[in-house]
Amino acid sequence: MFETTVDRRSFLRGSALFAAAIGLKVASPAAAQPDQDQRRETPQEKKDPFANDEKKGSEKTYTDQEGREYRICPQCAYNMYKQGRMWVCDNCGYSYVE
């Protein structure tokens, strides 16, 4: 009785409307909720990485034959010498601020 033919143009128009309806349905709840990044951002006290507040108790200093202080490198177990405020390994280049 009713014979409908679907041509390419009407199929594409219908699928575009369907996709738009689904997109609006999905986007509306996401727009209503506040961003989680905004809730997480709380001002915290910034610490100075060069501050001498934290002293590592397990860091033992030794003296070499020339009288310079050195420590044992945690990466390669070679000698680390102090250069300014940093301890630098002579072998692998591992360094940290005291």
Side-chain angles (χ1 to χ4, degrees):
M1 183 174 201
F2 292 106
E3 195 172 310
T4 58
T5 58
V6 179
D7 61 344
R8 183 171 184 244
R9 179 174 286 179
S10 63
F11 174 77
L12 292 175
R13 187 181 310 140
S15 62
L17 290 175
F18 181 73
I22 294 296
L24 287 176
K25 187 172 183 160
V26 170
S28 61
Q33 296 177 355
D35 287 338
Q36 297 205 5
D37 294 336
Q38 291 176 352
R39 285 188 282 162
R40 270 192 233 147
E41 291 181 16
T42 57
Q44 296 178 353
E45 185 178 320
K46 303 274 183 180
K47 287 191 173 184
D48 183 19
F50 298 109
N52 292 332
D53 295 340
E54 299 174 4
K55 178 72 174 171
K56 296 181 180 178
S58 64
E59 298 294 333
K60 187 175 178 184
T61 58
Y62 303 98
T63 309
D64 65 356
Q65 295 172 351
E66 298 173 2
R68 297 186 302 170
E69 290 184 341
Y70 72 94
R71 292 182 178 173
I72 305 299
C73 177
Q75 296 290 322
C76 66
Y78 200 73
N79 295 345
M80 295 182 75
Y81 292 99
K82 190 171 185 180
Q83 297 177 356
R85 297 173 78 179
M86 296 188 67
W87 287 90
V88 181
C89 178
D90 281 348
N91 188 32
C92 67
Y94 177 79
S95 63
Y96 60 87
V97 178
E98 182 179 40

